[in-house]
Amino acid sequence: MGARSSWPLARSVLRQFNLLVSYNRPPLAYAVRCNSTVAAAAEAAETAKSPIQILRTIAELRFWRREQLVKGLAVGLVPTMGALHAGHMRLVQSSMRMNDKTVVSIFVNPSQFAPSEDLASYPRDFDADIEQLASLEGDDGARVDVVFAPRVDEMYPNGIPLNVAEQKGAFVTVHGLSEQLEGKIRPHFFRGVATVVSKLLNIVTPDRVYFGQKDVQQTVVVKRLVQDLCSGTVVHVVPTSRDANGLALSSRNAYLTDQTKQDAAVIFKGLQNATMVYRQNTSADKIIDAVVLTITEKFDKNDIEYVSVNDKDTLEELQTVHPLKGAIVSLAVRVPNRFGGKTRLIDNILL
Ligand code: AMP
């Protein structure tokens, strides 16, 4: 579908955050927690006041998991990076409905961040996360049982420099699905995601694992990962949760001004217009034009990094959408944030 199939990268993603993060300077929350005795006391207090077990080590999680296996109980896993919102909660509720026990992992995974990205400033609020999770109750009284919140060195015992060339040890790449769309702009992103998901699946060995439609390429990558690495876990994809105006919920929405949040309604409106155009015309170019036209009601065309129409399984770019197969329409837009810079928003819809 050539040049028109996706909008060219307006600018390098390196411009996104002016923040340089070095591995030698660990994220603040992590550094603070490493301050051993204080941290241990705080963690004991956390555990005491919450009905949820907070486990920090792989050994503790494995011990817990063996108990569930012996009891014959089904375990669901919801991997997150914390800063939880209603979108995450929907995944957790799906797990609580379908499993006897639910584990939520909270881990800001360094290997999916480029050195220029926002690892150090990524929103973290562990206490608020636990509070939200503790307030959830399923119809049958189900609750979140375990939060797995490992430290970085528990997950990456060899260390994890953000510069991929300096990384040592085992990493997982899902070739063929990691290079397009988000992978074009964030070349090592899905290697980081596939690696941490593999680790979490090996640690928790859940019966089911839950991901959001919001990160559609991630769902395609993870499904292939699970299939190709012969994992016994079943992947469930949960629909995108949105604000009243259609803005997809995201932890990074905390970076946005109220005005931008309002303006960002055009993103979902654009995707809905894509669906309307598709009913009359299956040409990808026409669908993309409709999305771009709507988004440029509020945002600069140069800030649209891509709008693309792709196959749901192979992520191949399409020129026309086959009505029996449908397609993914996905996009990334850079919108003004509270810090005078730009934040990338991604969204998608299935045709
Ligand atoms: P994150 O903490 O951003 O890594 O997200 C953890 C999980 O929540 C991923 O599977 C995301 O796709 C999912 N998620 C994030 N935002 C939403 C949303 N608005 N609706 C549904 N799922 C979401």
Side-chain angles (χ1 to χ4, degrees):
M1 112 164 191
R4 300 222 52 215
S5 63
S6 57
W7 280 81
L9 305 188
R11 306 279 185 277
S12 157
V13 74
L14 297 182
R15 248 188 30 183
Q16 184 187 358
F17 297 102
N18 296 327
L19 204 73
L20 272 177
V21 181
S22 92
Y23 172 61
N24 294 331
R25 201 186 53 182
L28 193 56
Y30 170 57
V32 170
R33 290 221 176 85
C34 276
N35 226 328
S36 55
T37 41
V38 179
E43 279 167 24
E46 273 166 15
T47 316
K49 67 179 183 227
S50 161
I52 299 173
Q53 282 194 67
I54 298 167
L55 305 182
R56 300 277 179 187
T57 66
I58 295 169
E60 286 171 309
L61 196 292
R62 286 224 165 98
F63 183 80
W64 176 87
R65 181 64 180 98
R66 261 196 302 274
E67 287 180 336
Q68 314 318 310
L69 192 66
V70 169
K71 292 182 205 156
L73 298 178
V75 171
L77 169 68
V78 182
T80 81
M81 298 210 299
L84 301 180
H85 51 66
H88 295 114
M89 293 302 131
R90 199 155 163 198
L91 270 64
V92 176
Q93 276 163 327
S94 298
S95 173
M96 292 189 333
R97 259 198 312 278
M98 297 172 73
N99 300 282
D100 301 306
K101 299 282 174 182
T102 290
V103 179
V104 177
S105 63
I106 298 182
F107 179 66
V108 182
N109 174 38
S111 71
Q112 69 191 63
F113 287 79
S116 56
E117 292 181 352
D118 60 338
L119 173 62
S121 59
Y122 190 84
R124 291 167 170 85
D125 193 343
F126 191 73
D127 289 345
D129 289 348
I130 298 297
E131 215 171 290
Q132 274 193 79
L133 292 172
S135 71
L136 282 186
E137 190 180 339
D139 294 338
D140 52 357
R143 292 196 170 272
V144 173
D145 298 277
V146 168
V147 165
F148 179 52
R151 295 193 178 82
V152 173
D153 58 358
E154 183 77 2
M155 295 295 274
Y156 293 96
N158 304 318
I160 183 70
L162 296 187
N163 180 354
V164 169
E166 293 168 22
Q167 291 175 357
K168 294 197 167 57
F171 291 85
V172 180
T173 305
V174 180
H175 293 289
L177 297 175
S178 304
E179 301 82 12
Q180 55 280 74
L181 301 170
E182 283 300 289
K184 249 189 219 167
I185 293 144
R186 309 178 77 187
H188 305 294
F189 176 71
F190 288 111
R191 173 177 175 274
V193 169
T195 299
V196 80
V197 170
S198 302
K199 286 173 188 265
L200 289 168
L201 293 179
N202 283 339
I203 296 165
V204 182
T205 60
D207 294 282
R208 302 180 184 87
V209 66
Y210 296 81
F211 289 90
Q213 178 66 39
K214 156 83 169 41
D215 299 287
V216 65
Q217 190 173 4
Q218 177 168 275
T219 66
V220 178
V221 167
V222 168
K223 280 187 201 160
R224 181 64 65 81
L225 167 86
V226 159
Q227 194 181 5
D228 287 359
L229 296 187
C230 312
S231 160
T233 299
V234 178
V235 178
H236 287 266
V237 178
V238 177
T240 303
S241 297
R242 301 178 178 280
D243 269 344
N245 72 355
L247 171 63
L249 299 183
S250 162
S251 304
R252 289 190 173 101
N253 289 357
Y255 300 155
L256 307 181
T257 60
D258 289 343
Q259 184 61 52
T260 300
K261 281 188 193 167
Q262 260 180 39
D263 292 347
V266 292
I267 295 173
F268 186 50
K269 201 171 124 198
L271 291 170
Q272 288 175 308
N273 287 343
T275 310
M276 280 177 7
V277 169
Y278 170 61
R279 288 193 194 118
Q280 322 286 326
N281 195 318
T282 57
S283 145
D285 283 350
K286 291 276 184 288
I287 292 166
I288 290 167
D289 285 348
V291 178
V292 170
L293 193 69
T294 314
I295 292 177
T296 50
E297 283 171 19
K298 294 289 179 190
F299 300 113
D300 190 337
K301 205 173 193 171
N302 289 329
D303 283 331
I304 301 178
E305 283 184 346
Y306 65 85
V307 178
S308 192
V309 178
N310 298 68
D311 182 90
K312 288 175 181 169
D313 301 316
T314 63
L315 298 182
E316 178 201 348
E317 273 188 13
L318 302 175
Q319 301 200 358
T320 49
V321 181
H322 193 295
L324 289 180
K325 283 204 75 185
I328 302 165
V329 183
S330 63
L331 57 84
V333 190
R334 293 159 38 81
V335 302
N337 62 29
R338 303 197 270 124
F339 315 111
K342 297 273 169 82
T343 290
R344 293 180 81 238
L345 297 182
I346 59 170
D347 204 344
N348 69 86
I349 204 164
L350 298 182
L351 300 180

